[in-house]
């Protein structure tokens, strides 16, 4: 077969023909991946499955699908894997998607681990983050593969540890060079050329003896606003008044269960959510006979939860390129009398992780709270006018007919850990979806079929555009 180049118009025709012939099978591929509950279980790690059996199974399924399409697949000891489509040149255009997901959690009205189709939408854990979009990009490569030999080699990298810190990529980069350019279908269109710094840590209370709180848990992931929280406190149901968003029930003689219902949101856009941990903290401070140590920690919690822009922690910041700082308290636990609370901060280029640590330690100290396990990833920013970014942007404009500019965001994707990369779709900055369709990381995670179809078209045209560049 001869080396093949495509104009945007030719690429779009190829995409539409492929969709007409294969859409049903593409949805079946998504369903096959969604049926794998591929969330990390550290306690079940094993050789070849460092993130547990779920991510292991998801990675295997992704690599096998690529092999069936004609890619050569390599498994890097279960940390992640990659599949190559050789081109005329060994220079690589890369795509990376992830096969791991966050746990389903409570609140679903659809089965979380299968694809449900309703009113033109697909619902299931991973349909939008990131199994559905990954398969759209993989099928986009396949659509061009069927037309001839591409100028550049395409490497599709299947991540297995994105949701818990992206600690799979260092294993890859220890043995493989970065592609000449790479995109990840794990954000929004038109194209994201920069991401805020990502700071994570854990606030820890002093041990509390004979406290009022017997159990406390809230949130499913550190990188999301906690949609639900619950605790068991000592007392009788009559001691705890009703409150908006708080359910009170008798757990057992002398024990009362409290349940808070908030609204989940991604940590990069915390203002969209309502933090159930914050709701529970406010309720406990107002109504529970707390021990001194409990009250002290919860008063710090209240300060942490009182804003999402860092202002109540003394770290509010702004940068011209990456805009405002945001923060969220995602997961709270109680074990052996010690309360712990995660914090997730997305920060602009004007501050550093070291400065954030200094400020957070100072904010927590008056409450006898310690900051532990603090770590961060620095911001990244790619020139919006680079040929690669403009090639992706051009595909978006060609397919949608909408003029647009690259943007930056607070989300953390694989793009930040590669030398020349961008995050690219699959979601659009326009349009609404029904109230019953959930967001990524939340219950009833869903995406419209037309969104995925349109993303597929854009990925085909974008790949064709990249193949015409000098990389």
């Amino acid at each position: 077969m001869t080396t093949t180049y495509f104009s945007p118009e030719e690429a779009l025709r190829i995409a539409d023909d492929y969709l007409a012939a294969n859409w049903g099978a593409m949805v079946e591929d998504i369903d096959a991946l969604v049926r794998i509950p591929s969330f990390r279980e550290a306690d079940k790690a094993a050789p070849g499955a460092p993130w547990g059996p779920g991510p292991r199974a998801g990675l295997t399924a992704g690599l096998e699908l690529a092999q069936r399409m004609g890619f050569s697949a390599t498994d890097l000891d279960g940390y992640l894997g990659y599949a190559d489509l050789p081109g005329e040149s060994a220079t690589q255009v890369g795509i990376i998607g992830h096969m791991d997901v966050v746990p389903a959690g409570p609140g679903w009205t659809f089965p979380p681990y299968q694809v449900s189709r309703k009113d033109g939408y697909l619902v299931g854990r991973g349909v939008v983050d990131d199994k559905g979009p990954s398969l759209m990009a993989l099928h986009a490569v396949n659509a061009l593969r069927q037309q001839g030999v591409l100028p550049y080699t395409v490497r599709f990298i299947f991540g297995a540890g994105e949701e818990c810190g992206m600690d799979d990529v260092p294993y890859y980069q220890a043995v493989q060079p970065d592609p000449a350019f790479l995109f990840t279908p794990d954000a929004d269109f038109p194209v994201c050329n920069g991401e805020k710094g990502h700071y994570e840590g854990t606030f820890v209370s002093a041990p509390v003896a004979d406290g009022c709180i017997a159990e406390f848990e809230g949130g499913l992931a550190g990188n999301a606003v906690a949609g639900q929280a619950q605790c068991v406190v000592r007392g009788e149901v009559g001691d705890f008044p009703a409150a908006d968003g708080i359910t009170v029930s008798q757990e057992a003689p002398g024990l009362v269960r409290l349940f808070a219902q908030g609204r989940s949101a991604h940590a990069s856009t915390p203002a969209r959510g309502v933090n159930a941990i914050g709701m529970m903290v406010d309720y406990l401070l107002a109504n529970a006979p707390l021990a001194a140590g409990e009250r002290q920690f919860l008063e710090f919690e209240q300060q942490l939860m009182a804003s999402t822009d860092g202002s109540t922690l003394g770290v509010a910041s702004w940068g011209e390129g990456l805009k405002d700082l945001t923060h969220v308290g995602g997961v709270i636990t109680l074990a052996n009398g010690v309360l712990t609370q995660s914090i997730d901060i997305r920060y602009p280029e004007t501050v550093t992780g070291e400065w954030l640590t200094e400020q957070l330690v100072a904010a927590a100290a008056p409450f006898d709270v310690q900051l532990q396990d603090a770590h961060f990833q620095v911001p990244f920013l790619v020139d919006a006018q680079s040929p690669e970014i403009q090639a992706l942007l051009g595909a978006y404009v060609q397919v949608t007919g909408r003029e647009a500019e690259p943007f930056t965001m607070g989300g953390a994707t694989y793009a930040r850990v590669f030398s020349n990369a961008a995050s690219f779709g699959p979601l659009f900055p326009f349009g609404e979806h029904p109230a019953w369709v959930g967001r990524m990381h939340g219950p009833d995670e869903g995406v419209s079929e037309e969104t995925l179809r349109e993303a597929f078209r854009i990925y085909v045209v974008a790949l064709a555009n990249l193949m015409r560049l000098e990389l």
Side-chain angles (χ1 to χ4, degrees):
M1 300 177 75
T2 59
T3 303
T4 309
Y5 297 87
F6 303 103
S7 69
E9 294 77 15
E10 290 170 328
L12 188 54
R13 176 189 53 78
I14 291 167
D16 286 336
D17 289 347
Y18 190 93
L19 283 173
N22 296 286
W23 180 245
M26 293 163 76
V27 173
E28 290 176 3
D29 287 343
I30 298 172
D31 179 60
L33 289 183
V34 169
R35 287 178 181 272
I36 301 169
S38 52
F39 54 87
R40 182 180 298 200
E41 296 177 279
D43 59 329
K44 297 181 181 178
W51 322 128
R56 168 70 270 173
L59 176 58
T60 297
L63 291 172
E64 289 178 349
L65 177 58
Q67 285 179 305
R68 292 197 295 273
M69 290 179 176
F71 291 70
S72 62
T74 301
D75 184 341
L76 291 180
D77 302 322
Y79 285 86
L80 76 177
Y82 59 88
D84 285 345
L85 179 66
E88 183 180 68
S89 167
T91 298
Q92 292 176 2
V93 171
I95 305 170
I96 184 168
H98 62 91
M99 298 294 101
D100 63 316
V101 295
V102 299
W108 286 74
T109 60
F110 293 85
Y113 296 117
Q114 68 180 60
V115 169
S116 299
R117 299 178 86 168
K118 178 182 176 182
D119 298 340
Y121 283 79
L122 307 180
V123 179
R125 176 59 86 223
V127 294
V128 68
D129 185 25
D130 186 36
K131 293 174 178 179
S134 293
L135 287 181
M136 293 305 99
L138 184 65
H139 275 279
V141 181
N142 193 46
L144 293 177
R145 178 192 68 82
Q146 294 177 354
Q147 305 300 313
V149 177
L150 298 176
Y152 297 118
T153 294
V154 179
R155 170 163 290 182
F156 198 107
I157 304 172
F158 293 88
E162 193 270 352
E163 294 291 4
C164 297
M166 295 182 282
D167 44 5
D168 47 353
V169 172
Y171 199 86
Y172 174 87
Q173 292 176 322
V175 295
Q176 292 288 330
D178 287 359
F181 179 72
L182 171 146
F183 72 81
T184 181
D186 194 19
D188 295 341
F189 289 121
V191 58
C192 177
N193 65 304
E195 296 176 3
K196 296 176 184 178
H198 187 192
Y199 184 101
E200 296 176 288
T202 303
F203 290 111
V204 181
S205 76
V208 177
D210 301 320
C212 171
I213 305 171
E215 299 176 15
F216 200 159
E217 60 181 22
L220 293 173
N223 62 350
V225 174
Q228 297 181 340
Q230 57 185 322
C231 67
V232 174
V233 293
R234 306 186 198 285
E236 301 299 328
V237 70
D239 301 330
F240 296 91
D244 288 344
I246 306 291
T247 301
V248 181
S249 61
Q250 195 75 49
E251 176 80 0
L255 293 174
V256 175
R257 180 168 293 276
L258 306 174
F259 179 84
Q261 180 65 60
R263 183 173 65 251
S264 184
H266 194 271
S268 62
T269 55
R272 295 180 181 175
V274 177
N275 200 315
I277 298 172
M279 295 169 60
M280 185 68 77
V281 165
D282 289 344
Y283 183 88
L284 291 171
L285 286 170
N287 298 288
L290 300 167
E294 291 172 327
R295 179 167 293 277
Q296 194 170 33
F297 184 80
L298 294 188
E299 286 175 347
F300 174 71
E301 281 281 277
Q302 192 172 56
Q303 184 170 304
L304 187 157
M305 300 291 173
S307 70
T308 59
D309 64 356
S311 57
T312 53
L313 294 173
V315 295
S317 306
W318 176 271
E320 207 46 53
L322 296 174
K323 312 306 180 187
D324 59 323
L325 177 148
T326 63
H327 83 272
V328 61
V331 177
I332 190 169
T333 60
L334 170 63
N336 301 318
V338 175
L339 287 154
T340 62
Q341 171 67 60
S342 71
I343 187 168
D344 182 301
I345 299 176
R346 311 299 167 106
Y347 63 95
E349 70 277 19
T350 50
V351 300
T352 66
E354 291 84 359
W355 179 81
L356 288 171
T357 296
E358 293 176 2
Q359 299 303 112
L360 295 175
V361 168
F367 301 90
D368 197 21
V369 172
Q370 292 187 341
L371 176 66
Q372 298 181 359
D373 302 323
H375 56 281
F376 58 89
Q377 296 173 321
V378 299
F380 99 98
L381 198 59
V382 176
D383 183 1
Q385 299 304 313
S386 74
E388 296 91 339
I389 297 297
Q390 289 298 308
L392 302 189
L393 181 65
Y396 172 85
V397 173
Q398 166 76 18
V399 173
T400 66
R402 294 171 179 262
E403 293 299 321
E405 295 295 333
F407 69 94
T408 62
M409 68 173 186
T413 73
Y414 280 130
R416 68 167 53 247
V417 292
F418 287 87
S419 54
N420 187 21
S423 50
F424 187 44
L427 299 181
F428 292 87
F430 53 84
E432 298 292 332
H433 57 74
W436 56 266
V437 177
R439 299 179 182 274
M440 65 175 68
H441 289 195
D444 293 339
E445 174 185 342
V447 65
S448 76
E449 294 189 44
E450 187 52 37
T451 290
L452 291 180
R453 290 166 64 92
E454 196 80 337
F456 169 82
R457 294 184 182 99
I458 293 171
Y459 293 145
V460 173
V461 176
L463 285 165
N465 289 351
L466 290 170
M467 291 296 159
R468 296 196 303 274
L469 299 182
E470 291 290 335
L471 296 178

